[in-house]
Amino acid sequence: MGPRAWALLFVLCGTVFLEGIDVAMLAVAIPSIRSDLGLPTDTAAWVMSAYVLGYAGFTLLGGRAADLLGRRRMFLTWLTVFLAFSGLGGFATEGWTLIVARFVTGVAAAFMTPAALSLITTSYAEGPQRNKALLIFAGTAAGGFSLGLVIGGLLTQLGWRWVFFAPVLLAGALLLAAVRLIPAQPNDTRAPRTEQSRTGQSRTVESRSGEPRSTEARTGEPRDPGKGRPRRRTEGFDLLGAVTAAGAMLLAAYAVIRLEHGLDGWWLTATTAAAATALLVVFVAVERRTATPLVRLGIFREGSVVRAGLGALLFVGAFFGFQFVLTLYLQELRGWSSLQTAIALVALGCDAILAPTLTPRLVTRFGHGRVILGGFVLAIVAYGLFLPVGMDWSYAAMFPTLIIAGTAFALAYGPLTIAATDGVAESEQGLASGLLNTFTQFGSAVGISAVTAVYGLASQGAAAGPDPDPEATLSAFRAALVVPVVMVTLGALLSSFGLGRRPEPRAQAAAPAAAATGAAPGEAPEAAVVVTPGLSALSGLPANRVPQDPS
């Protein structure tokens, strides 16, 4: 890759790094925010949950908007919104202001992230080049979250408002660089014009804007059998589909967040879930009848979209559920400070190093299906080792679980995204990214809500009240830790049924390098490697119980 290609990748990776540190810093700062503003527990929990609600509710729409309205436009617009509302959170003096700021920030991330991911898939040639770019992207995301825990602890010592202002500074720098580095791109997704080279081979011609174009076989455009060239189709925006999709996702996300309350208010949870299901049925009916659907339903029959999405949901849910229980254990039971906890969890961030270095070699040698299965098996080992956690475990006793869990994440997460988007047309790369982000966002919410609900049920009685019994509380933590083990076990079973079989090489496949990447036109890529959505999907940390900083 040339200097400009590296610079573009730096900007796109900076965006997912921004997301990671933003969420991680807030997770560490919540106890200080609640104390300073005098927020009740429910309001403080909603400061976290609002982000999940906005992200999960709009990520599907955000992915398709990138395809239809322009990836560059969506990226720059919503990065600006992210910047503005992060700054608003820093000036908040009331709980409702924080909740609104976090909700809109989540919505901004839901549009910004799929745009960034699809910019990578359309700017770097398939094969080793794109593979390298995507796994660097994933590693940067992991590093952002891990470093965000430590940075959040340090900034909270200076004042919790810096947790909101620091992302503003980073977002501003990224926005200025992105305006210069991301080339203008047309909004249409028509197939590229091809012409015969002197050797008789077909090659792809770039657009005037310099946007990278893929070969006809990758566009997914309808073709006129009689003329052998793509038919022009009338594009429209499926407004009714967008409204019903957003409504269904918002209600579904709220129902998942409500699970953390267990049986308390079950009727509201059930009603919300029923309403989400009804809207989803309406959405499917709309998509079947409209000429220009927001989501082409046939995409669920391509590749391993559904199975890989479910695998990502289970893996991400287990990871964040485990991390949440571990945070409660260290802060509430062991009395560790927020900064001590953040530093301890940095070991989980080893995937930031392993994802772009070790994982590509394993995928090349064994195929992404086997690597995914290996990641799930390692996760089972990691969470299983922590099940007998004791009252006075040393950090050395916890360290193997943290390292193995981080390694498992490096092995499973990137290859899962390859399986989820392999074979998807370039014109639907934003949609594919949005679908996978939807699965992972719901996974994080399901995992945390499930462990919270189990912990709440197990802690009733002796572990509840103003002076809970430490042994009973520890028993409740152990019960909650069963949830991540069950989730990754289910994921391992799912991945063992042919998830991510190594794709067959394509004879005439693939795209020339984009202008940004510097690869020669007509260069034949290797096996398809597609978008790796960083840890943006891992951003939500809804919590019925907000960890206290005993210090």
Side-chain angles (χ1 to χ4, degrees), residues 89 458 502 542:
R502 174 173 277 175

Side-chain angles (χ1 to χ4, degrees), residues 7 17 28 85 98 353 359 398:
F17 182 86
V28 174
F85 278 84
L98 278 175
I353 299 173
T359 307
M398 306 177 206

Side-chain angles (χ1 to χ4, degrees), residues 53-68 106-107 109-115 237-238 241-250 279-280 283-284 287 293-297 299-300 305 428-442:
L53 200 63
Y55 201 126
F58 289 91
T59 187
L60 181 61
L61 177 59
R64 195 57 178 144
D67 291 330
L68 298 178
V107 173
F111 282 84
M112 176 179 70
T113 303
F237 194 78
D238 179 14
V243 171
T244 52
M249 293 299 101
L250 280 169
L279 265 182
L280 184 61
F283 169 72
V284 171
E287 299 308 277
L294 179 73
V295 176
R296 184 178 61 83
L297 299 179
I299 195 173
F300 294 104
V305 172
E428 293 183 325
Q429 282 296 319
L431 172 60
S433 300
L435 286 170
L436 189 58
N437 280 334
T438 299
F439 276 111
T440 51
Q441 268 301 312
F442 274 94

